[in-house]
Amino acid sequence: MKVAVVGASGAVGQEFLKVLDERDFPLSELVLFGSERSAGKVYTFKGKEIKVKELKHNDDFKDIDIALVSAGGGISKEFAPTITKYGAIMIDNSSAFRLDDDVPLVVPEVNAEECKNAPRNIIANANCTTIQMVVVLKALENLSHIKRVHVSSYQSASGAGASAMAELEQQAKDFAANKELTVEKFAHQLLFNVIPHIDVFTENGYTKEEMKMYHETRKIMNSDIQVSATTVRVPVMRAHSESIWAETEKPVSPEEFRAECERFKGITVMDNPQANEYPMPFELAGENDVFVGRIRKDISNPNGIAFWCVSDQIKKGAALNAVQIAEYMIEQKLIK
Ligand code: 2RA
């Protein structure tokens, strides 16, 4: 497979390189693309130096089989025709095409088979907060149909990119040095704070990030599930956490749900509160799985179940999910 990474210098772009290497992805050549600013940068992959090419409207994608794209929605929209013109499959991490009817929105643990129907050669990767939630919801849905979900997210700085991580680190340094803190990436200082605001507010009072959780979950799960989300930025460097409450058609016991999560590929159960064991982002950054804990019966509703999950948003929430899509498509011979 000849693979392209578009947006190679970004946090997700860099993670693509790591994940392709870790998983020994079957590639014959890796081509890196970036903006005019990134063009010329050199990255090492499997001991070989690769120079970033500038993304342009030309024939550079002629021999590419798979393009892993994470360069923002505007770039994805503008370059999708160029990238897919000669048959390359574009796996896109932006929100540009996620809700388009003719673009599958895929989280392989939930709906891998949707990859078979991609008339535009584009497969969309879901938003990071949605990805980790639907993996665990699928395990619950296997036991009883989920009617409703309430979720609050605790999203790390990494969700806003490498520069947001750098800002949080700098705020910590400046605080320790008794200096004034710089606030550019978020609406407020993140250090020692929680900010209940991710992406822009919409007319219904929810933010766009919250509405992504609503629409994307329904599309991926092919379900009438109701989702009400509050998305929150917390001063964590990497890996998002979510507190989830779900109402199912039939009651599901914590024991049944825990057993299903243990069986489910892609989930690790970490649920031993007596020993202070539950998932935490500080320990789980860099891991592949979605980690679940604090599984308990909802005391306010016989059909309710509550739990907590943590997953690395750059990995399963972005790069790993995209590479898993590519792996599935190769396995199913959906790519040339
Ligand atoms: C965030 N979910 O954490 C976003 C990134 N896609 O800001």
Side-chain angles (χ1 to χ4, degrees):
M1 290 287 143
K2 197 165 168 184
V3 176
V5 168
V6 178
S9 302
V12 176
Q14 288 292 297
E15 201 67 25
F16 279 139
L17 268 62
K18 268 196 217 150
V19 173
L20 291 170
D21 185 21
E22 270 170 27
R23 297 175 77 83
D24 238 335
F25 191 88
L27 56 78
S28 55
E29 192 181 341
L30 181 64
V31 189
L32 305 180
F33 291 93
S35 61
E36 195 182 348
R37 201 161 32 96
S38 303
K41 282 189 183 168
V42 175
Y43 297 107
T44 306
F45 181 77
K46 292 203 180 287
K48 206 179 136 209
E49 296 200 325
I50 307 175
K51 199 187 263 189
V52 177
K53 283 181 153 185
E54 186 179 347
L55 182 65
K56 284 187 176 162
H57 291 292
N58 56 22
D59 286 340
D60 278 351
F61 288 84
K62 199 162 182 181
D63 300 319
I64 298 289
D65 300 299
I66 303 165
L68 302 168
V69 181
S70 187
I75 296 291
S76 286
K77 274 202 174 133
E78 183 187 337
F79 282 90
T82 300
I83 292 171
T84 58
K85 185 172 168 191
Y86 294 103
I89 296 288
M90 170 174 176
I91 303 176
D92 184 42
N93 193 50
S94 82
S95 59
F97 308 108
R98 285 182 190 150
L99 300 181
D100 290 8
D101 285 339
D102 52 0
V103 173
L105 177 62
V106 176
V107 176
E109 290 87 343
V110 184
N111 65 338
E113 65 292 345
E114 295 288 336
C115 294
K116 293 178 180 159
N117 185 21
R120 287 161 70 187
N121 275 9
I122 304 172
I123 313 270
N125 218 21
N127 191 35
C128 48
T129 42
T130 311
I131 291 179
Q132 72 175 75
M133 182 171 79
V134 295
V135 169
V136 190
L137 290 185
K138 175 68 171 118
L140 184 58
E141 181 79 20
N142 286 348
L143 301 171
S144 172
H145 177 55
I146 305 167
K147 287 164 68 177
R148 190 180 314 283
V149 164
H150 290 175
V151 52
S152 288
S153 69
Y154 302 67
Q155 295 179 225
S156 58
S158 60
S163 56
M165 294 166 84
E167 180 168 300
L168 178 58
E169 193 178 329
Q170 193 58 44
Q171 286 179 353
K173 285 182 184 153
D174 288 347
F175 177 83
N178 220 3
K179 285 192 195 158
E180 202 176 319
L181 307 194
T182 304
V183 177
E184 277 167 5
K185 298 305 292 182
F186 305 110
H188 304 275
Q189 170 187 324
L190 187 56
L191 185 74
F192 304 137
N193 202 4
V194 292
I195 308 172
H197 170 189
I198 297 182
D199 211 328
V200 296
F201 283 95
T202 69
E203 273 176 13
N204 64 9
Y206 285 83
T207 64
K208 247 171 114 176
E209 182 83 351
E210 290 158 355
M211 291 314 294
K212 282 179 190 172
M213 293 190 86
Y214 175 86
H215 293 295
E216 293 179 15
T217 300
R218 289 164 69 93
K219 179 168 174 178
I220 296 162
M221 297 190 73
N222 189 22
S223 164
D224 59 355
I225 185 170
Q226 293 295 328
V227 180
S228 179
T230 303
T231 54
V232 181
R233 189 74 66 193
V234 295
V236 164
M237 214 34 111
R238 184 169 162 158
H240 289 355
S241 308
E242 296 179 11
S243 167
I244 300 175
W245 169 91
E247 184 189 5
T248 48
E249 227 156 56
K250 292 181 293 178
V252 173
S253 72
E255 293 71 29
E256 278 175 286
F257 182 45
R258 200 172 286 118
E260 183 63 18
C261 286
E262 270 160 5
R263 194 198 59 76
F264 199 95
K265 199 163 170 279
I267 297 179
T268 298
V269 177
M270 196 181 251
D271 195 17
N272 186 5
Q274 303 316 319
N276 299 340
E277 279 172 22
Y278 26 71
M280 289 185 290
F282 186 68
E283 290 173 356
L284 298 174
E287 295 287 337
N288 287 347
D289 271 7
V290 179
F291 290 75
V292 186
R294 298 291 323 275
I295 298 173
R296 61 206 188 275
K297 186 97 212 131
D298 171 16
I299 52 170
S300 74
N301 179 330
N303 287 18
I305 190 154
F307 52 94
W308 169 258
C309 66
V310 174
S311 186
D312 186 313
Q313 147 284 330
I314 309 180
K315 253 203 160 165
K316 180 57 189 164
L320 174 62
N321 196 71
V323 172
Q324 286 172 325
I325 291 171
E327 288 172 345
Y328 175 84
M329 294 187 78
I330 293 171
E331 189 188 292
Q332 297 291 315
K333 304 197 177 1
L334 298 171
I335 300 177
K336 279 186 213 168

